[in-house]
Amino acid sequence: MHQIETKCVQSGYSPENSQPRTLPIYQSTTYKYDDAAALGKLFDLEADGHMYTRISNPTVAAVEAKISDLEGGVGAMLTSSGQAASFMAIFNICSQGQNFISMNNIYGGTINLFSVTLKRMGIEVRYARDDMSDEEMDALFDENTRLVFGETIANPALTVLDIERMAGIAHKHAVPLIVDNTFATACLCRPFEFGADIVTHSTSKYMDGHANVLGGCIIDGGTFDWEKAGKYPELTGPDESYHGVVYTKQFGKAAYITKARVQLMRDFGCTPQPMAAYLLNLGLETLHLRTRRHSENALAVARFLSEQEKILWVNYPLLEGGKYHDLAKKYLPDGASGVVSFGVRGGREAAMRLMNALKLAQIVVHVADARTCVLHPASTTHRQLTDAQLEASGIGPEFIRFSVGIENADDIIADLKQALEQI
Ligand SMILES: *Cc1c(COP(=O)(O)O)cnc(C)c1O
């Protein structure tokens, strides 16, 4: 078993004699068979192999194998975006008339998906706060609850999920814990080691790392006992769309991820292109180096900001004295990603002036790539909200999300310094 750094570089693809050394791009929708019976076996899920690129492709499969190895899972499926991964991870085991529990401080795009679009499908989300007692959490569950969902490091709230505690609560109610590990990545935290059952990612962030390619991923830890839980007939009973296949019987520990692929990916088709998987793999090869550098730079920036008169507050999970510092020490000992948030004295106007004065840090909607960038949620992603609504969602008019890149930390700090002098 290799260390994580070696897995980033080497896992997923090992060429045989005189084959290409680097992962080839199999730009083909289609595959060839020696006879009709061989193809029939694939369609019956009785043989391994590729049948159509909507469902699987050799380039995509190599990157899936690498990410599964990084997280320590039994299998993974890439999707065309992080949104598609979040949707499929839930919909795979939660149907009309059922509900699930989600932490309330997750990514805004995921909130929309859960609160608006899943609701239209008859699926109810129940939001939990991390300051709730176990009894308050227990009260959210009923016999139709199918899973618990949270983010390792929430975007942009930067709270840290107590994965062990949430896994304990979920398992007490015989449901799995799904963790969106986008900001941490497997290099900084591996949720399966703390009891999570399924991990999701937006690979568009640090895993690609260069703001080049959208993507998502679902990884199955293979740990959850669907049969014992006794309430997941979609996994433990026959699938009529494969004339009666029972996923837990035929695929054992990989039942969940196999169903996600052969049923949901077949039907929804939010498949990554082979070229996208190839670009993602290039990013993954340096992920271990970048996550360290992002985190070191972010901690230096957070410390600098916390000493500035014109800054009201700074939030970075590993910053000394913060509310989530103890959880960050436990779950993110090697770094807490490159994202820092802070409030500027003087509210919305001062925040906008600071942003406009920055030179190295550029204004973009994205986070988590190699280049330092900055966003003022109140005037962009949260623009439609009033100041009162912003305050209620924890994103005040003074709130700035600062995504620290892998440049030299002194240059990033110098940029902030000159901008602060101008306001
Ligand atoms: C960006 C993001 C998503 C959505 O991913 P896309 O690739 O943009 O679709 C989901 N979860 C988190 C935590 C994110 O930051």
mmCIF file of all heavy atoms in Angstrom, residues 86-103:
data_model
loop_
_atom_site.group_PDB
_atom_site.id
_atom_site.type_symbol
_atom_site.label_atom_id
_atom_site.label_comp_id
_atom_site.label_asym_id
_atom_site.label_seq_id
_atom_site.Cartn_x
_atom_site.Cartn_y
_atom_site.Cartn_z
ATOM 1 N N SER A 86 -23.557 15.463 -6.354
ATOM 2 C CA SER A 86 -24.404 15.635 -5.170
ATOM 3 C C SER A 86 -25.794 15.060 -5.430
ATOM 4 O O SER A 86 -26.354 14.348 -4.594
ATOM 5 C CB SER A 86 -24.548 17.122 -4.812
ATOM 6 O OG SER A 86 -23.291 17.698 -4.588
ATOM 7 N N PHE A 87 -26.348 15.378 -6.604
ATOM 8 C CA PHE A 87 -27.691 14.892 -6.933
ATOM 9 C C PHE A 87 -27.742 13.361 -6.944
ATOM 10 O O PHE A 87 -28.596 12.743 -6.295
ATOM 11 C CB PHE A 87 -28.148 15.442 -8.293
ATOM 12 C CG PHE A 87 -29.372 14.744 -8.804
ATOM 13 C CD1 PHE A 87 -30.595 14.912 -8.153
ATOM 14 C CD2 PHE A 87 -29.309 13.890 -9.885
ATOM 15 C CE1 PHE A 87 -31.726 14.234 -8.581
ATOM 16 C CE2 PHE A 87 -30.429 13.213 -10.324
ATOM 17 C CZ PHE A 87 -31.645 13.381 -9.671
ATOM 18 N N MET A 88 -26.810 12.755 -7.647
ATOM 19 C CA MET A 88 -26.856 11.289 -7.787
ATOM 20 C C MET A 88 -26.560 10.583 -6.474
ATOM 21 O O MET A 88 -27.129 9.517 -6.209
ATOM 22 C CB MET A 88 -25.866 10.844 -8.845
ATOM 23 C CG MET A 88 -26.328 11.174 -10.237
ATOM 24 S SD MET A 88 -25.345 10.202 -11.386
ATOM 25 C CE MET A 88 -26.064 10.721 -12.901
ATOM 26 N N ALA A 89 -25.684 11.161 -5.665
ATOM 27 C CA ALA A 89 -25.344 10.530 -4.387
ATOM 28 C C ALA A 89 -26.591 10.404 -3.517
ATOM 29 O O ALA A 89 -26.801 9.398 -2.834
ATOM 30 C CB ALA A 89 -24.266 11.332 -3.664
ATOM 31 N N ILE A 90 -27.463 11.420 -3.560
ATOM 32 C CA ILE A 90 -28.698 11.410 -2.776
ATOM 33 C C ILE A 90 -29.754 10.530 -3.451
ATOM 34 O O ILE A 90 -30.328 9.630 -2.841
ATOM 35 C CB ILE A 90 -29.275 12.847 -2.639
ATOM 36 C CG1 ILE A 90 -28.240 13.828 -2.094
ATOM 37 C CG2 ILE A 90 -30.574 12.846 -1.820
ATOM 38 C CD1 ILE A 90 -27.949 13.746 -0.655
ATOM 39 N N PHE A 91 -29.979 10.798 -4.751
ATOM 40 C CA PHE A 91 -31.093 10.155 -5.443
ATOM 41 C C PHE A 91 -30.902 8.645 -5.566
ATOM 42 O O PHE A 91 -31.872 7.897 -5.718
ATOM 43 C CB PHE A 91 -31.262 10.798 -6.831
ATOM 44 C CG PHE A 91 -32.570 10.497 -7.489
ATOM 45 C CD1 PHE A 91 -33.762 10.950 -6.939
ATOM 46 C CD2 PHE A 91 -32.628 9.740 -8.654
ATOM 47 C CE1 PHE A 91 -34.987 10.666 -7.534
ATOM 48 C CE2 PHE A 91 -33.845 9.456 -9.261
ATOM 49 C CZ PHE A 91 -35.014 9.913 -8.705
ATOM 50 N N ASN A 92 -29.670 8.188 -5.456
ATOM 51 C CA ASN A 92 -29.390 6.742 -5.540
ATOM 52 C C ASN A 92 -30.111 5.965 -4.441
ATOM 53 O O ASN A 92 -30.448 4.802 -4.633
ATOM 54 C CB ASN A 92 -27.871 6.525 -5.436
ATOM 55 C CG ASN A 92 -27.413 5.225 -6.063
ATOM 56 O OD1 ASN A 92 -28.023 4.720 -7.000
ATOM 57 N ND2 ASN A 92 -26.327 4.664 -5.542
ATOM 58 N N ILE A 93 -30.331 6.614 -3.283
ATOM 59 C CA ILE A 93 -30.933 5.891 -2.149
ATOM 60 C C ILE A 93 -32.086 6.657 -1.504
ATOM 61 O O ILE A 93 -32.491 6.350 -0.383
ATOM 62 C CB ILE A 93 -29.881 5.566 -1.057
ATOM 63 C CG1 ILE A 93 -29.071 6.804 -0.685
ATOM 64 C CG2 ILE A 93 -28.978 4.429 -1.514
ATOM 65 C CD1 ILE A 93 -28.205 6.608 0.551
ATOM 66 N N CYS A 94 -32.592 7.695 -2.164
ATOM 67 C CA CYS A 94 -33.671 8.479 -1.564
ATOM 68 C C CYS A 94 -34.681 8.809 -2.660
ATOM 69 O O CYS A 94 -34.321 9.400 -3.680
ATOM 70 C CB CYS A 94 -33.094 9.750 -0.948
ATOM 71 S SG CYS A 94 -34.209 10.578 0.181
ATOM 72 N N SER A 95 -35.932 8.418 -2.466
ATOM 73 C CA SER A 95 -36.945 8.568 -3.511
ATOM 74 C C SER A 95 -38.114 9.402 -3.016
ATOM 75 O O SER A 95 -38.158 9.807 -1.853
ATOM 76 C CB SER A 95 -37.470 7.188 -3.929
ATOM 77 O OG SER A 95 -36.417 6.360 -4.332
ATOM 78 N N GLN A 96 -39.060 9.592 -3.901
ATOM 79 C CA GLN A 96 -40.269 10.350 -3.615
ATOM 80 C C GLN A 96 -40.931 9.847 -2.326
ATOM 81 O O GLN A 96 -41.026 8.634 -2.108
ATOM 82 C CB GLN A 96 -41.223 10.178 -4.804
ATOM 83 C CG GLN A 96 -42.421 11.059 -4.757
ATOM 84 C CD GLN A 96 -43.673 10.301 -5.119
ATOM 85 O OE1 GLN A 96 -43.625 9.183 -5.602
ATOM 86 N NE2 GLN A 96 -44.807 10.921 -4.868
ATOM 87 N N GLY A 97 -41.316 10.801 -1.443
ATOM 88 C CA GLY A 97 -41.965 10.427 -0.179
ATOM 89 C C GLY A 97 -40.980 10.184 0.951
ATOM 90 O O GLY A 97 -41.395 9.988 2.090
ATOM 91 N N GLN A 98 -39.670 10.214 0.629
ATOM 92 C CA GLN A 98 -38.662 9.994 1.666
ATOM 93 C C GLN A 98 -37.956 11.312 1.988
ATOM 94 O O GLN A 98 -38.200 12.333 1.347
ATOM 95 C CB GLN A 98 -37.667 8.920 1.204
ATOM 96 C CG GLN A 98 -38.385 7.598 0.929
ATOM 97 C CD GLN A 98 -37.469 6.521 0.400
ATOM 98 O OE1 GLN A 98 -36.432 6.784 -0.196
ATOM 99 N NE2 GLN A 98 -37.863 5.282 0.608
ATOM 100 N N ASN A 99 -37.109 11.283 3.021
ATOM 101 C CA ASN A 99 -36.417 12.515 3.433
ATOM 102 C C ASN A 99 -34.977 12.215 3.797
ATOM 103 O O ASN A 99 -34.586 11.055 3.956
ATOM 104 C CB ASN A 99 -37.158 13.176 4.602
ATOM 105 C CG ASN A 99 -37.104 12.331 5.858
ATOM 106 O OD1 ASN A 99 -36.061 12.217 6.504
ATOM 107 N ND2 ASN A 99 -38.230 11.707 6.213
ATOM 108 N N PHE A 100 -34.185 13.269 3.926
ATOM 109 C CA PHE A 100 -32.803 13.126 4.404
ATOM 110 C C PHE A 100 -32.444 14.352 5.220
ATOM 111 O O PHE A 100 -33.130 15.374 5.184
ATOM 112 C CB PHE A 100 -31.827 12.883 3.251
ATOM 113 C CG PHE A 100 -31.646 14.056 2.317
ATOM 114 C CD1 PHE A 100 -30.544 14.892 2.434
ATOM 115 C CD2 PHE A 100 -32.572 14.321 1.318
ATOM 116 C CE1 PHE A 100 -30.378 15.977 1.569
ATOM 117 C CE2 PHE A 100 -32.413 15.395 0.455
ATOM 118 C CZ PHE A 100 -31.305 16.225 0.582
ATOM 119 N N ILE A 101 -31.345 14.206 5.989
ATOM 120 C CA ILE A 101 -30.907 15.282 6.879
ATOM 121 C C ILE A 101 -29.613 15.859 6.329
ATOM 122 O O ILE A 101 -28.699 15.116 5.964
ATOM 123 C CB ILE A 101 -30.724 14.730 8.307
ATOM 124 C CG1 ILE A 101 -32.114 14.353 8.849
ATOM 125 C CG2 ILE A 101 -30.024 15.756 9.206
ATOM 126 C CD1 ILE A 101 -32.077 13.465 10.045
ATOM 127 N N SER A 102 -29.555 17.199 6.248
ATOM 128 C CA SER A 102 -28.338 17.855 5.761
ATOM 129 C C SER A 102 -27.931 18.940 6.741
ATOM 130 O O SER A 102 -28.786 19.616 7.325
ATOM 131 C CB SER A 102 -28.598 18.488 4.382
ATOM 132 O OG SER A 102 -27.497 19.294 4.019
ATOM 133 N N MET A 103 -26.630 19.120 6.920
ATOM 134 C CA MET A 103 -26.165 20.276 7.682
ATOM 135 C C MET A 103 -26.639 21.535 6.945
ATOM 136 O O MET A 103 -26.737 21.539 5.716
ATOM 137 C CB MET A 103 -24.634 20.280 7.806
ATOM 138 C CG MET A 103 -24.050 19.021 8.434
ATOM 139 S SD MET A 103 -24.868 18.487 9.949
ATOM 140 C CE MET A 103 -24.477 19.836 11.049
#
